[in-house]
Protein backbone atom coordinates (compact mmCIF):
# COMPACT_ATOMS: atom_id res chain seq x y z
CA UNK A 1 0.00 0.00 0.00
CA UNK A 2 1.47 3.35 -0.95
CA UNK A 3 2.25 5.81 1.78
CA UNK A 4 -0.35 8.60 1.90
CA UNK A 5 2.29 11.31 1.63
CA UNK A 6 4.60 9.40 -0.66
CA UNK A 7 7.35 9.25 1.95
CA UNK A 8 7.56 7.48 5.24
CA UNK A 9 9.14 9.06 8.26
CA UNK A 10 12.27 7.45 9.62
CA UNK A 11 10.40 6.72 12.84
CA UNK A 12 7.57 4.98 10.99
CA UNK A 13 9.96 2.79 9.08
CA UNK A 14 11.97 1.76 12.14
CA UNK A 15 8.78 1.08 14.11
CA UNK A 16 7.32 -0.92 11.26
CA UNK A 17 10.42 -3.05 10.94
CA UNK A 18 10.46 -3.66 14.67
CA UNK A 19 6.77 -4.49 14.75
CA UNK A 20 6.97 -6.88 11.80
CA UNK A 21 9.64 -8.75 13.72
CA UNK A 22 7.36 -8.92 16.76
CA UNK A 23 4.37 -10.22 14.78
CA UNK A 24 6.57 -12.78 13.07
CA UNK A 25 7.93 -13.99 16.42
CA UNK A 26 4.43 -14.21 17.86
CA UNK A 27 3.19 -16.27 14.93
CA UNK A 28 6.08 -18.69 15.44
CA UNK A 29 5.56 -18.83 19.20
CA UNK A 30 1.83 -19.46 18.97
CA UNK A 31 2.43 -22.28 16.48
CA UNK A 32 4.88 -23.74 18.96
CA UNK A 33 2.33 -23.39 21.79
CA UNK A 34 -0.24 -25.20 19.61
CA UNK A 35 2.10 -28.17 19.21
CA UNK A 36 2.98 -28.28 22.91
CA UNK A 37 -0.44 -28.01 24.53
CA UNK A 38 -2.72 -30.94 25.27
CA UNK A 39 -6.19 -29.40 25.40
CA UNK A 40 -7.79 -29.32 21.92
CA UNK A 41 -9.59 -26.05 22.67
CA UNK A 42 -6.36 -24.34 23.63
CA UNK A 43 -4.59 -25.83 20.62
CA UNK A 44 -7.27 -24.51 18.31
CA UNK A 45 -7.00 -21.09 19.92
CA UNK A 46 -3.21 -21.02 19.54
CA UNK A 47 -3.45 -22.04 15.89
CA UNK A 48 -6.06 -19.38 15.23
CA UNK A 49 -3.96 -16.70 16.94
CA UNK A 50 -0.88 -17.77 14.99
CA UNK A 51 -2.81 -17.34 11.72
CA UNK A 52 -4.09 -13.99 12.90
CA UNK A 53 -0.55 -12.77 13.69
CA UNK A 54 0.57 -13.93 10.25
CA UNK A 55 -2.29 -11.97 8.67
CA UNK A 56 -1.27 -8.90 10.68
CA UNK A 57 2.31 -9.36 9.50
CA UNK A 58 1.25 -9.56 5.85
CA UNK A 59 -1.06 -6.58 6.17
CA UNK A 60 1.59 -4.40 7.78
CA UNK A 61 4.35 -5.64 5.47
CA UNK A 62 2.52 -4.02 2.55
CA UNK A 63 3.54 -0.68 3.99
CA UNK A 64 7.21 -1.42 3.33
CA UNK A 65 6.52 -0.62 -0.34
CA UNK A 66 6.76 3.04 0.45
CA UNK A 67 9.18 5.75 -0.52
CA UNK A 68 12.59 6.51 0.88
CA UNK A 69 12.95 7.61 4.45
CA UNK A 70 13.16 11.27 5.43
CA UNK B 1 6.51 -30.33 39.96
CA UNK B 2 8.85 -27.64 38.64
CA UNK B 3 7.47 -24.16 38.06
CA UNK B 4 8.87 -23.91 34.53
CA UNK B 5 7.28 -27.14 33.34
CA UNK B 6 5.39 -26.83 30.06
CA UNK B 7 1.74 -27.13 30.97
CA UNK B 8 -1.42 -25.89 29.30
CA UNK B 9 -1.71 -23.34 32.08
CA UNK B 10 1.80 -21.97 31.50
CA UNK B 11 1.26 -21.85 27.76
CA UNK B 12 -2.05 -20.05 28.16
CA UNK B 13 -0.59 -17.49 30.57
CA UNK B 14 2.33 -16.91 28.20
CA UNK B 15 -0.19 -16.44 25.40
CA UNK B 16 -2.05 -13.81 27.40
CA UNK B 17 1.15 -12.00 28.35
CA UNK B 18 2.35 -11.93 24.75
CA UNK B 19 -0.99 -10.46 23.67
CA UNK B 20 -0.72 -7.79 26.33
CA UNK B 21 2.78 -6.91 25.19
CA UNK B 22 1.67 -6.80 21.56
CA UNK B 23 -1.22 -4.47 22.47
CA UNK B 24 1.18 -2.14 24.32
CA UNK B 25 3.59 -2.08 21.36
CA UNK B 26 0.77 -1.45 18.89
CA UNK B 27 -0.49 1.46 20.99
CA UNK B 28 2.98 2.99 20.92
CA UNK B 29 3.15 2.58 17.12
CA UNK B 30 -0.26 4.23 16.69
CA UNK B 31 0.54 7.32 18.72
CA UNK B 32 3.86 7.76 16.90
CA UNK B 33 2.46 7.17 13.41
CA UNK B 34 2.09 9.97 10.88
CA UNK B 35 0.63 8.09 7.92
CA UNK B 36 -3.14 7.63 8.06
CA UNK B 37 -3.25 4.26 6.24
CA UNK B 38 -0.54 2.72 8.35
CA UNK B 39 -2.14 4.11 11.50
CA UNK B 40 -5.48 2.58 10.59
CA UNK B 41 -3.89 -0.80 9.93
CA UNK B 42 -2.19 -0.70 13.32
CA UNK B 43 -5.55 0.15 14.91
CA UNK B 44 -7.23 -2.79 13.16
CA UNK B 45 -4.51 -5.15 14.34
CA UNK B 46 -4.80 -3.72 17.86
CA UNK B 47 -8.57 -4.29 17.93
CA UNK B 48 -8.06 -7.88 16.82
CA UNK B 49 -5.38 -8.27 19.50
CA UNK B 50 -7.80 -7.01 22.18
CA UNK B 51 -10.43 -9.53 21.06
CA UNK B 52 -7.95 -12.42 21.06
CA UNK B 53 -6.47 -11.45 24.40
CA UNK B 54 -9.98 -11.43 25.86
CA UNK B 55 -10.68 -14.83 24.37
CA UNK B 56 -7.52 -16.25 25.94
CA UNK B 57 -8.34 -14.56 29.25
CA UNK B 58 -11.85 -16.03 29.28
CA UNK B 59 -10.43 -19.48 28.62
CA UNK B 60 -7.93 -19.13 31.48
CA UNK B 61 -10.68 -17.85 33.73
CA UNK B 62 -12.94 -20.80 32.91
CA UNK B 63 -10.11 -23.19 33.74
CA UNK B 64 -9.61 -21.43 37.09
CA UNK B 65 -6.07 -20.42 36.14
CA UNK B 66 -6.63 -16.71 36.28
CA UNK B 67 -8.84 -15.40 39.04
CA UNK B 68 -8.25 -11.76 39.86
CA UNK B 69 -8.17 -10.89 43.57
CA UNK B 70 -11.21 -8.92 44.73
CA UNK B 71 -10.63 -5.54 46.37
CA UNK B 72 -11.18 -5.28 50.12
CA UNK B 73 -13.86 -2.90 51.38
CA UNK B 74 -11.29 -0.65 53.10
CA UNK B 75 -9.48 -0.23 49.80
CA UNK B 76 -12.74 0.65 48.03
CA UNK B 77 -13.52 3.24 50.71
CA UNK B 78 -10.08 4.78 50.39
CA UNK B 79 -10.36 5.09 46.60
CA UNK B 80 -13.86 6.58 46.88
CA UNK B 81 -12.64 9.13 49.42
CA UNK B 82 -9.62 10.09 47.29
CA UNK B 83 -11.82 10.38 44.21
CA UNK B 84 -14.19 12.70 46.05
CA UNK B 85 -11.25 14.89 47.07
CA UNK B 86 -10.05 15.08 43.48
CA UNK B 87 -13.56 15.92 42.27
CA UNK B 88 -13.79 18.74 44.80
CA UNK B 89 -10.42 20.12 43.74
CA UNK B 90 -11.45 20.06 40.08
CA UNK B 91 -14.73 21.77 40.89
CA UNK B 92 -12.91 24.42 42.91
CA UNK B 93 -10.50 25.15 40.09
CA UNK B 94 -13.33 25.25 37.54
CA UNK B 95 -15.19 27.77 39.70
CA UNK B 96 -12.11 29.98 39.91
CA UNK B 97 -11.69 29.88 36.14
CA UNK B 98 -15.38 30.61 35.67
CA UNK B 99 -15.20 33.62 37.99
CA UNK B 100 -12.15 34.96 36.16
CA UNK B 101 -13.83 34.54 32.78
CA UNK B 102 -16.98 36.18 34.08
CA UNK B 103 -15.18 39.22 35.44
CA UNK B 104 -13.20 39.60 32.20
CA UNK B 105 -16.44 39.41 30.24
CA UNK B 106 -18.08 42.31 32.09
CA UNK B 107 -15.25 44.74 31.42
CA UNK B 108 -16.09 47.67 29.14
CA UNK B 109 -14.20 47.89 25.84
CA UNK B 110 -12.34 50.90 27.25
CA UNK B 111 -11.19 48.89 30.25
CA UNK B 112 -10.16 46.07 27.99
CA UNK B 113 -8.09 48.49 25.93
CA UNK B 114 -6.50 49.79 29.11
CA UNK B 115 -5.69 46.29 30.24
CA UNK B 116 -4.17 45.55 26.85
CA UNK B 117 -2.06 48.67 27.23
CA UNK B 118 -0.90 47.54 30.64
CA UNK B 119 -0.07 44.23 29.06
CA UNK B 120 2.77 45.85 27.19
CA UNK B 121 4.67 46.42 30.42
CA UNK B 122 5.14 44.82 33.81
CA UNK B 123 1.43 44.92 34.65
CA UNK B 124 0.47 41.98 32.42
CA UNK B 125 0.39 39.30 35.03
CA UNK B 126 -1.50 41.36 37.60
CA UNK B 127 -4.13 42.70 35.22
CA UNK B 128 -4.81 39.19 33.89
CA UNK B 129 -4.84 37.31 37.15
CA UNK B 130 -6.72 39.68 39.39
CA UNK B 131 -9.60 40.98 37.31
CA UNK B 132 -12.17 40.00 39.89
CA UNK B 133 -10.59 42.28 42.47
CA UNK B 134 -9.98 45.25 40.22
CA UNK B 135 -13.28 45.42 38.39
CA UNK B 136 -15.89 44.41 40.85
CA UNK B 137 -17.54 47.82 40.75
CA UNK B 138 -18.72 46.99 37.24
CA UNK B 139 -20.26 43.69 38.20
CA UNK B 140 -23.66 43.31 36.61
CA UNK B 141 -23.60 46.79 35.09
CA UNK B 142 -22.60 45.81 31.58
CA UNK B 143 -24.26 43.13 29.43
CA UNK B 144 -22.07 40.06 29.13
CA UNK B 145 -21.60 40.39 25.42
CA UNK B 146 -17.88 39.59 25.58
CA UNK B 147 -18.30 36.42 27.54
CA UNK B 148 -17.66 33.20 25.66
Amino acid sequence: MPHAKGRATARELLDLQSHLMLESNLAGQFNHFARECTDPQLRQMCESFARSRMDAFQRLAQHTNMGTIQ
Amino acid sequence: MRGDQVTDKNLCMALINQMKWDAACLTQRIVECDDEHLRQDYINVLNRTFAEQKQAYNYANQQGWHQPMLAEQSMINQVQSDTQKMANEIQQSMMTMHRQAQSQAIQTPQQQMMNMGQGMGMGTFQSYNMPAMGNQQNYGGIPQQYYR
Side-chain angles (χ1 to χ4, degrees), chain A residues 12-42:
Chain A
E12 278 176 345
L13 205 56
L14 289 172
D15 277 356
L16 183 57
Q17 188 182 25
S18 162
H19 200 78
L20 287 172
M21 210 178 294
L22 174 62
E23 293 295 344
S24 162
N25 283 339
L26 288 180
Q29 267 189 34
F30 294 168
N31 270 324
H32 173 71
F33 289 178
R35 285 195 300 273
E36 290 289 325
C37 67
T38 56
D39 180 37
Q41 191 186 346
L42 182 59

Side-chain angles (χ1 to χ4, degrees), chain A residues 12 29 39 52-53 63, chain B residues 8 18 22 35 41 52 59:
Chain A
E12 278 176 345
Q29 267 189 34
D39 180 37
S52 171
R53 293 302 109 191
H63 289 276
Chain B
D8 282 2
Q18 293 288 29
D22 197 25
D35 180 61
D41 277 347
E52 289 170 353
Y59 173 83

Side-chain angles (χ1 to χ4, degrees), chain A residues 1-5 7 9 11-12 15-16 18-19 22-23 26 29-30 32-33 36-39 41-42 45-46 48-49 51-53 55-56 59-60 63 66, chain B residues 6-9 11-12 14-15 18-19 21-22 25-26 28-29 32-39 41-42 44-45 48-49 51-53 55-56 59 62-63 65:
Chain A
M1 180 176 291
H3 194 275
K5 293 177 183 166
R7 286 181 82 166
T9 63
R11 181 61 187 255
E12 278 176 345
D15 277 356
L16 183 57
S18 162
H19 200 78
L22 174 62
E23 293 295 344
L26 288 180
Q29 267 189 34
F30 294 168
H32 173 71
F33 289 178
E36 290 289 325
C37 67
T38 56
D39 180 37
Q41 191 186 346
L42 182 59
M45 202 160 62
C46 290
S48 159
F49 290 177
R51 277 195 301 274
S52 171
R53 293 302 109 191
D55 287 348
R59 179 77 193 167
L60 293 171
H63 289 276
M66 47 197 183
Chain B
V6 178
T7 62
D8 282 2
K9 179 184 175 181
L11 290 171
C12 187
L15 192 70
Q18 293 288 29
M19 288 293 192
W21 173 243
D22 197 25
C25 289
L26 281 161
Q28 191 63 31
R29 307 291 178 242
E32 300 275 1
C33 191
D34 177 59
D35 180 61
E36 207 47 54
H37 292 147
L38 179 57
R39 190 171 190 274
D41 277 347
Y42 277 136
N44 294 341
V45 175
R48 205 192 305 171
T49 306
E52 289 170 353
Q53 192 273 339
Q55 195 184 335
Y59 173 83
Q62 280 165 14
Q63 303 293 321
W65 295 337

